[in-house]
Amino acid sequence: MNEEILQANPYPDYSQPYYRKLRGYAFDPSFSATLNRRSINEVVYKVKWEPTIAGPIGEYIEVIDYDPTKKCFYKPILLDNPFVLADNGLTPSDGDPRFHQQQVYAVTMSVISQFEKALGRKIIWSNKIEVAAENPNEAAATGTNPAKAKRDYKNVFVPRLRIYPHAMRQQNAYFSPTKNALLFGYFKAADNWAGNNVPGATVFTCLSPDIVAHETTHAILNTIHPYLTKDTNADMLAFHEGFADIIALLQRFTFKAVVEDQIKNSRGDMLSAENMLGDLAIQFGQAISNHQRALRSYLVEKDENGNWTNKKPDPSLFHTVTEPHSRGGLLVAAVFDAFSKLYKFRVADLIRLASNGTGVLAQGEIDPDLVKRLATEACNIADKLMLICIRALDYCPPVDLTFGDYLRAIVTADVQFNPDDEEGLRYAMLESFRAWGIVPEDVNTFSVESLKWKAPDELLSQLPGDPLLNNTYYHNLKHTIKFAFDPECPEEGTNEKRNISKILGHIERILRENDRKVIFDQSQQLSREVHELFKEEINISKGTEVFLGMNFNDIVYKEPQATEDDKKKPLQLKAKKRDVFQVYKCRPMIIPDPKSGNSIKVMVIMFIQKVYVNLKRSRYQGYFENDSFAFQGGASIIIDMANYEIKYTINKSVSSSERLFRQLEYALANLPDPDNNALMMQNDEPFAALHTH
């Protein structure tokens, strides 16, 4: 790959366009088979302009169209060909592999742009590779079996996400973390006349924008939070699935003409059975079953008589549904319930004006001008909800995420970016999450103030142990942060590990650089510098690590008792002292400050520690390798770089007995289940098993 080709401007006398326009499907090919839906199904994607070569291959992604079933490469499309450029890309066609390549490129780049818009930084692909922590020859010289030499992991930069439009002949599409690739399958539709499909016709998952957006979101989420693929609780994989569906569905609202058509058909009622904006992967769902409206529907459901009706919140489902897609569906349902509440609230005045104050529109088609105004409101709400949902990722814990944690992240992120909330977006989210039973366990009241993550000083009174000692630990942590980042903080004694000019240089380079490889390298170096500095300072000030969700002493875990009257002696498990930890990410960001109207610089640092819990002579013995359970904890802290104060701490303590025993019970409950393919394939391809239909 010649990187210079991608960076070159072949026409230096002309300014580079901001967008590349490419034709594609808004729903899927089956919609283009009907007269009244064809025009709204074929849309134009506007993706950020970049030079490309045949594939297409650009800065972020490379499409490799190899079909292993037929053992051939399909001819790649050249998007920069003058004829292709002049016609906004190739004409949509499910029979032309080059259009398939165009479609996956357009959708994937659109999703990447949405994330970069919300997060205010570039998406960077990375992957962990296993490396030897000690030289095998040296291990052999010391009597250690070279095959058992200690292993370590290195985070490496991946230039591009690979996309295989015809990777397999299966009813499947998935993101592969090991290959850092999206793999799309194709298959024969069921032998029945379902929807617009022809029995036995070929269905290409790469032509469904919903599926492509869903898998792209998996890839982005994995590069931002790689530890969230660990199936440590019922919400982890479900969050991956639910979040990916949220982005895929909200992405549709970027096409206003599509929204206008759906509003016209449903006469302004977003919850109508006629509205398909809440249906995911319609062609795929109809092709695998004669009874499905789509792969997943989030606004409507069938009642006991087989009629489509509005989906009503059911908080009991949160305590009974465990399958990742179904449980993730509860998260999607909560977000779309908030969307419908906001939509009704925002368009109520328009409906009153159009109905002469009755609130009930007259029979027949609604006025085209009203359709446009309703669609504008719907698109604006969807855009803001997408921003809220994506920005919350920076306010999530680094491990063991729950839906309740995500709600707290949404609230905290929205308070940061939109403190007044005049439109009521986060209150609609609170109301809907509560209606679906998604309530954090560790808050006293279900209010914005209680749900928002706290600074460490606000949590001092809740910490166990000596209050004076905890206060000392907190001040030690504050000093460590100032020592790490504040050039005016005096050095006490000599500390060769502190190189303030180097640390500040990395921060400034990350914030101003455009080259994703340079940003990655600088971020890695910054993380190493901060890790060494924190390690040195914590060794001096033992106990400070508790504010970072870590514990460098021997840990005793006491099983929580079911009731206070429980007389049974609780089980105790132990983990030996381990002072190894990781600064997984050290991410400087510039975010708006709505109060002042200026921008502020913040730093997100993610700390992760792993301890090994001894399970011998307990009821868990015999179920885990070497009777040892790897238990992770840590924290994400967000620092205001103007005063070096901790704004928020998002903590998952490695000392938590409740969290440990919950994870053990969850793992034990899933181990004997042969149908839980995602858990069985946890270490290689969890999404491949998860997406098999």
Side-chain angles (χ1 to χ4, degrees):
M1 166 60 60
N2 189 345
E3 299 293 336
E4 294 180 358
I5 296 177
L6 291 174
Q7 297 172 5
N9 180 3
Y11 307 106
D13 294 334
Y14 296 89
S15 59
Q16 182 174 282
Y18 191 75
Y19 291 113
R20 180 190 297 273
K21 297 179 180 180
L22 294 170
R23 288 187 285 176
Y25 294 125
F27 289 94
D28 54 54
S30 69
F31 274 61
S32 292
T34 59
L35 182 63
N36 61 332
R37 290 176 176 172
R38 178 180 176 276
S39 60
I40 61 103
N41 186 43
E42 297 181 6
V43 296
V44 175
Y45 288 83
K46 292 170 63 178
V47 300
K48 188 176 179 180
W49 175 271
E50 62 171 355
T52 63
I53 58 177
I57 299 173
E59 180 187 354
Y60 290 84
I61 63 176
E62 53 183 327
V63 179
I64 301 173
D65 206 354
Y66 178 72
D67 188 334
T69 302
K70 298 183 178 179
K71 297 181 179 180
C72 70
F73 283 95
Y74 295 114
K75 187 175 182 179
I77 186 173
L78 181 60
L79 295 179
D80 287 356
N81 179 289
F83 292 154
V84 176
L85 283 172
D87 209 19
N88 290 342
L90 298 180
T91 302
S93 168
D94 54 0
D96 186 348
R98 293 175 304 167
F99 172 72
H100 298 195
Q101 301 155 16
Q102 174 179 303
Q103 174 83 15
V104 294
Y105 175 85
V107 177
T108 303
M109 290 304 298
S110 296
V111 174
I112 290 172
S113 294
Q114 290 288 354
F115 274 83
E116 292 191 337
K117 171 186 169 184
L119 297 174
R121 62 178 183 274
K122 287 180 174 287
I123 295 301
I124 299 175
W125 314 114
S126 63
N127 209 347
K128 283 188 179 300
I129 60 170
E130 191 178 45
V131 295
E134 62 178 318
N135 189 303
N137 294 328
E138 293 177 3
T142 59
T144 304
N145 184 345
K148 295 183 179 180
K150 290 182 180 178
R151 310 299 295 173
D152 202 353
Y153 294 89
K154 181 181 179 183
N155 203 29
V156 296
F157 174 72
V158 179
R160 297 175 188 86
L161 177 71
R162 289 187 167 186
I163 303 177
Y164 298 88
H166 307 98
M168 55 199 156
R169 193 166 188 141
Q170 291 181 27
Q171 295 176 1
N172 202 359
Y174 65 92
F175 162 64
S176 167
T178 56
K179 298 181 180 68
N180 204 65
L182 307 183
L183 295 91
F184 296 96
Y186 61 94
F187 61 96
K188 296 292 185 182
D191 292 328
N192 53 60
W193 294 92
N196 296 317
N197 289 318
V198 174
T202 303
V203 175
F204 297 94
T205 61
C206 67
L207 293 182
S208 167
D210 299 342
I211 294 175
V212 176
H214 178 102
E215 302 308 333
T216 304
T217 302
H218 276 312
I220 296 173
L221 184 53
N222 183 70
T223 201
I224 295 174
H225 281 290
Y227 290 97
L228 297 191
T229 57
K230 301 289 184 182
D231 194 20
T232 55
N233 66 60
D235 289 348
M236 288 283 274
L237 292 180
F239 174 75
H240 246 285
E241 292 304 317
F243 183 77
D245 279 359
I246 289 168
I247 300 303
L249 290 172
L250 292 177
Q251 179 78 2
R252 282 191 188 154
F253 289 83
T254 58
F255 299 109
K256 193 176 177 182
V258 173
V259 180
E260 288 178 358
D261 177 78
Q262 293 301 296
I263 285 177
K264 182 181 74 172
N265 291 342
S266 61
R267 304 187 70 255
D269 183 3
M270 296 299 291
L271 294 177
S272 167
E274 301 298 320
N275 193 321
M276 293 177 292
L277 292 174
D279 295 340
L280 186 98
I282 296 172
Q283 182 188 33
F284 186 101
Q286 294 175 349
I288 63 176
S289 170
N290 191 33
H291 306 292
Q292 290 186 233
R293 172 187 171 110
L295 181 61
R296 290 186 283 280
S297 293
Y298 290 111
L299 295 177
V300 294
E301 62 186 352
K302 278 189 176 180
D303 61 18
E304 56 189 15
N305 298 318
N307 300 317
W308 291 106
T309 183
N310 294 345
K311 185 172 284 190
K312 295 178 175 58
D314 183 355
S316 68
L317 295 176
F318 183 71
H319 302 285
T320 57
V321 173
T322 57
E323 192 279 322
H325 287 101
S326 300
R327 189 168 180 83
L330 303 181
L331 185 68
V332 186
V335 172
F336 266 77
D337 188 49
F339 171 83
S340 63
K341 283 180 169 61
L342 287 163
Y343 174 77
K344 286 181 179 179
F345 179 75
R346 294 281 294 276
V347 304
D349 57 341
L350 296 173
I351 299 296
R352 282 195 300 271
L353 287 170
S355 62
N356 294 321
T358 66
V360 179
L361 295 172
Q363 293 296 315
E365 285 195 6
I366 59 177
D367 187 274
D369 291 333
L370 179 60
V371 169
K372 290 182 181 297
R373 285 287 291 111
L374 295 177
T376 298
E377 292 293 343
C379 292
N380 286 342
I381 294 167
D383 182 61
K384 289 173 181 176
L385 284 178
M386 185 182 288
L387 290 176
I388 290 174
C389 290
I390 294 174
R391 285 170 178 163
L393 296 178
D394 282 337
Y395 297 81
C396 288
V399 296
D400 206 25
L401 178 75
T402 65
F403 286 176
D405 294 332
Y406 183 59
L407 174 60
R408 298 191 70 178
I410 287 173
V411 170
T412 307
D414 195 51
V415 168
Q416 178 64 53
F417 284 84
N418 179 30
D420 294 333
D421 192 24
E422 294 179 352
E423 297 176 340
L425 266 71
R426 63 174 167 266
Y427 288 97
M429 294 287 264
L430 289 184
E431 184 180 351
S432 296
F433 272 66
R434 180 178 56 79
W436 281 96
I438 304 174
V439 178
E441 296 178 353
D442 52 351
V443 294
N444 294 325
T445 62
F446 197 70
S447 64
V448 169
E449 191 56 38
S450 292
L451 291 169
K452 188 180 69 170
W453 295 119
K454 304 293 188 294
D457 58 336
E458 299 178 76
L459 301 172
L460 278 172
S461 61
Q462 303 174 22
L463 290 176
D466 186 344
L468 292 177
L469 204 54
N470 289 335
N471 195 56
T472 301
Y473 294 154
Y474 172 57
H475 284 287
N476 289 341
L477 177 61
K478 289 176 63 177
H479 170 77
T480 301
I481 291 171
K482 287 184 72 70
F483 185 75
F485 302 113
D486 186 359
E488 297 181 5
C489 180
E491 296 196 25
E492 299 174 2
T494 59
N495 189 329
E496 296 180 359
K497 293 188 182 295
R498 188 199 190 202
N499 189 333
I500 192 67
S501 59
K502 195 173 182 180
I503 289 174
L504 295 180
H506 291 319
I507 293 172
E508 293 306 315
R509 188 83 186 273
I510 291 167
L511 291 174
R512 74 168 186 267
E513 186 59 61
N514 262 330
D515 189 308
R516 291 160 57 247
K517 175 67 165 62
V518 173
I519 295 172
F520 175 84
D521 290 340
Q522 292 291 316
S523 298
Q524 290 293 104
Q525 293 175 40
L526 178 61
S527 294
R528 282 193 291 269
E529 295 280 346
V530 171
H531 174 270
E532 290 304 312
L533 196 144
F534 266 82
K535 182 179 179 181
E536 181 77 11
E537 289 297 305
I538 289 175
N539 283 337
I540 296 172
S541 308
K542 295 289 187 182
T544 303
E545 71 274 7
V546 299
F547 283 95
L548 304 174
M550 303 188 293
N551 189 335
F552 294 166
N553 300 307
D554 292 339
I555 308 173
V556 177
Y557 299 97
K558 185 177 178 181
E559 184 176 20
Q561 293 179 291
T563 66
E564 293 182 3
D565 298 329
D566 193 346
K567 303 297 183 183
K568 191 170 89 173
K569 185 179 178 181
L571 173 64
Q572 287 192 353
L573 300 174
K574 296 180 180 180
K576 288 186 177 180
K577 172 181 178 179
R578 191 169 190 265
D579 60 359
V580 177
F581 71 98
Q582 178 185 14
V583 174
Y584 176 69
K585 285 192 178 177
C586 198
R587 183 190 302 144
M589 303 185 298
I590 294 177
I591 62 175
D593 181 14
K595 293 180 180 178
S596 66
N598 300 320
S599 295
I600 58 175
K601 188 188 298 182
V602 299
M603 177 79 74
V604 179
I605 309 179
M606 294 184 182
F607 296 86
I608 297 176
Q609 183 193 15
K610 182 191 295 183
V611 298
Y612 295 93
V613 182
N614 186 355
L615 303 177
K616 290 180 180 177
R617 293 181 294 280
S618 76
R619 66 174 178 272
Y620 303 108
Q621 181 173 338
Y623 291 99
F624 301 92
E625 187 176 356
N626 299 322
D627 289 323
S628 178
F629 185 76
F631 184 50
Q632 288 183 321
S636 298
I637 62 171
I638 300 173
I639 303 165
D640 187 339
M641 297 298 282
N643 54 21
Y644 308 102
E645 294 288 338
I646 302 176
K647 290 174 67 69
Y648 307 109
T649 178
I650 302 109
N651 195 309
K652 287 284 181 173
S653 176
V654 77
S655 303
S656 171
S657 296
E658 184 179 354
R659 208 164 59 80
L660 170 68
F661 280 97
R662 188 186 300 144
Q663 281 193 23
L664 285 168
E665 290 299 322
Y666 177 76
L668 210 59
N670 287 279
L671 279 177
D673 183 2
D675 294 328
N676 194 336
N677 291 329
L679 192 63
M680 295 170 67
M681 299 179 67
Q682 187 70 55
N683 293 324
D684 25 68
E685 297 291 0
F687 297 110
L690 202 60
H691 286 188
T692 300
H693 296 279

